Amino acid sequence: MFGLNLHIKSVTIIILVLFLAIFLLPLNSFSQTKEVVALKGDGIYRLLTRHGLSSAEYMDDFITLNKTNLGKNNTLLAGVKYKLPDTAKLPTTPASGSTPSKGTGKMVHYDIFGSEYADIEILSNNLKGAVYYLVGGHGGPDPGAVGKYNGNLVCEDEYAYDVTLRLARRLIEEGATVYMITRDKNDGIRDAVTLKADKDEVCYPNLTIPLNHTRRLRQRTDAVNSLYKKHKGAFQRMIAVHVDSRSKGENIDIFFYHDKRSETGEKACKILRDTIEKKYHEVQPNRGYTGTVSTRPLYVVKNTWPTAVFIELGNMNHERDVKRLVIPDNRQAVANWLALGLIKDFSTNK
């Protein structure tokens, strides 16, 4: 009797082990983190996008997951394997700032973002009903502030435009209506360190940008105000993006201007500043952040009808600021963080 019972128990255990091997091992294999190899020229934004992941939702997770294999300033090393965040888990930094989005299934196409980024999935309706007029600083015959990096000239208008494009794409992903007021049909989003300068930017819809400073500012202000009337009654914001020019010794953080008459403009700037500060504390806890909010009688801030926010990304004459700006993933991170702030502005500052 005992021998038979032991035999039955042994057979039962073997069957149970086989069952676990057949049904549980595939689940463990399935849940393993996927690894991909970085190609030459890849940044985190390009790598995530190529593998169908939103940089807004997964960039911070990617950095945390791969911290030991990243180069200086979180750059990718060609030929190195990197782990992709688990899409089955909730992202730690959702695009909405509150709950992760699963996408609406809707796709749109805009050539202005360049061939690699022209196709955009609408991730959420967080900004449905919001209208944004994005103005990259300077452009056309005016390059703005000019600095140097590794012996190459770096022009304000090119880097401000790249951040503005990235911000535009993020806002569209969240369901917003976006107008690029300063436009360049050839310069989509560029994942390069040195952005080649040109003078072929135009003002919406396709106007040659004049050399005269006042005429140039009036032209883009008129473009915004004309569109504002078209969307009368909607939530509207004008966002101007620049890179400041100060003494070489002055290292500055992203800061914001608003019109002194605008309480909503002041609140929008404070929301953006606080969002940037929070993100810096998360990804670089010991860095600190000194961004400010103040008023300044700038032409586009005073004369555009939508609530206006004027952003300065750094000092084009300071070596550390330029190093921060030339890294494409840094430009994308700034765009992501600004988008988070604008989502909060839309939900709390109408």
Side-chain angles (χ1 to χ4, degrees):
M1 289 292 291
F2 289 107
L4 180 61
N5 285 338
L6 288 173
H7 176 71
I8 292 172
K9 288 181 180 179
S10 297
V11 172
T12 301
I13 291 171
I14 292 171
I15 292 173
L16 180 60
V17 170
L18 288 173
F19 175 85
L20 293 173
I22 293 171
F23 290 97
L24 295 186
L25 285 179
L27 289 177
N28 290 335
S29 176
F30 179 77
S31 64
Q32 288 178 354
T33 303
K34 181 179 179 181
E35 291 186 332
V36 295
V37 176
L39 305 177
K40 185 177 180 180
D42 269 351
I44 299 174
Y45 177 58
R46 176 181 285 185
L47 184 71
L48 290 175
T49 302
R50 187 167 65 246
H51 292 280
L53 299 179
S54 164
S55 70
E57 292 185 340
Y58 294 108
M59 181 175 279
D60 290 349
D61 285 348
F62 180 93
I63 292 172
T64 300
L65 196 60
N66 296 282
K67 194 67 179 178
T68 57
N69 288 329
L70 296 174
K72 188 176 180 181
N73 295 312
N74 294 327
T75 54
L76 299 187
L77 306 175
V80 173
K81 285 185 178 180
Y82 292 97
K83 297 176 181 178
L84 293 180
D86 186 355
T87 57
K89 298 177 182 178
L90 298 182
T92 58
T93 54
S96 65
S98 54
T99 55
S101 57
K102 296 182 180 179
T104 64
K106 182 180 178 182
M107 298 292 296
V108 293
H109 181 95
Y110 295 104
D111 290 331
I112 196 169
F113 296 111
S115 58
E116 290 191 54
Y117 300 112
D119 293 319
I120 306 171
E121 180 185 2
I122 307 303
L123 299 175
S124 79
N125 291 315
N126 287 324
L127 291 175
K128 186 176 182 180
V131 182
Y132 295 92
Y133 311 104
L134 302 188
V135 185
H138 304 275
D142 177 19
V146 178
K148 284 189 176 182
Y149 180 76
N150 285 348
N152 298 309
L153 292 179
V154 288
C155 298
E156 174 185 0
D157 65 328
E158 303 297 339
Y159 289 87
Y161 183 71
D162 192 68
V163 172
T164 305
L165 270 184
R166 293 171 187 269
L167 175 59
R169 195 176 190 276
R170 282 291 302 115
L171 297 177
I172 291 170
E173 286 182 329
E174 301 295 337
T177 297
V178 179
Y179 292 93
M180 287 291 295
I181 301 303
T182 310
R183 308 168 63 84
D184 190 317
K185 65 180 181 179
N186 301 318
D187 293 341
I189 291 173
R190 290 178 282 177
D191 294 324
V193 170
T194 302
L195 301 183
K196 184 179 178 181
D198 57 32
K199 298 182 179 182
D200 61 349
E201 294 87 4
V202 297
C203 180
Y204 181 91
N206 192 31
L207 304 175
T208 300
I209 296 177
L211 178 61
N212 180 269
H213 179 66
T214 302
R215 287 179 56 204
R216 184 167 64 248
L217 296 178
R218 186 182 297 121
Q219 181 188 63
R220 56 194 61 183
T221 300
D222 289 344
V224 171
N225 291 344
S226 177
L227 290 165
Y228 177 86
K229 290 186 288 185
K230 176 182 175 182
H231 294 282
K232 188 175 181 180
F235 178 97
Q236 303 187 53
R237 292 285 186 267
M238 189 285 293
I239 312 294
V241 180
H242 285 250
V243 187
D244 207 0
S245 177
R246 299 192 179 187
S247 68
K248 291 184 178 181
E250 192 168 358
N251 176 214
I252 58 177
D253 277 328
I254 300 170
F255 66 96
F256 306 88
Y257 292 125
H258 64 90
D259 183 49
K260 65 179 181 180
R261 301 164 297 179
S262 176
E263 291 183 6
T264 54
E266 181 179 14
K267 185 176 179 181
C269 287
K270 288 180 177 178
I271 289 171
L272 289 168
R273 180 199 62 191
D274 292 347
T275 302
I276 298 289
E277 183 175 30
K278 180 181 178 181
K279 296 306 294 183
Y280 267 129
H281 287 332
E282 288 178 7
V283 300
Q284 297 184 42
N286 300 318
R287 179 192 185 280
Y289 174 71
T290 59
T292 59
V293 170
S294 60
T295 64
R296 189 175 175 184
L298 299 165
Y299 189 97
V300 293
V301 173
K302 288 172 54 181
N303 294 291
T304 48
W305 296 341
T307 296
V309 172
F310 193 101
I311 305 170
E312 295 279 11
L313 300 176
N315 178 10
M316 189 57 83
N317 294 321
H318 192 279
E319 183 180 4
R320 195 187 313 164
D321 283 6
V322 172
K323 284 183 178 179
R324 188 178 68 210
L325 192 62
V326 297
I327 297 170
D329 282 329
N330 285 354
R331 300 196 294 271
Q332 185 61 44
V334 169
N336 291 346
W337 298 349
L338 290 174
L340 284 175
L342 290 173
I343 291 169
K344 184 174 182 180
D345 173 53
F346 178 62
S347 64
T348 63
N349 192 26
K350 298 180 181 179

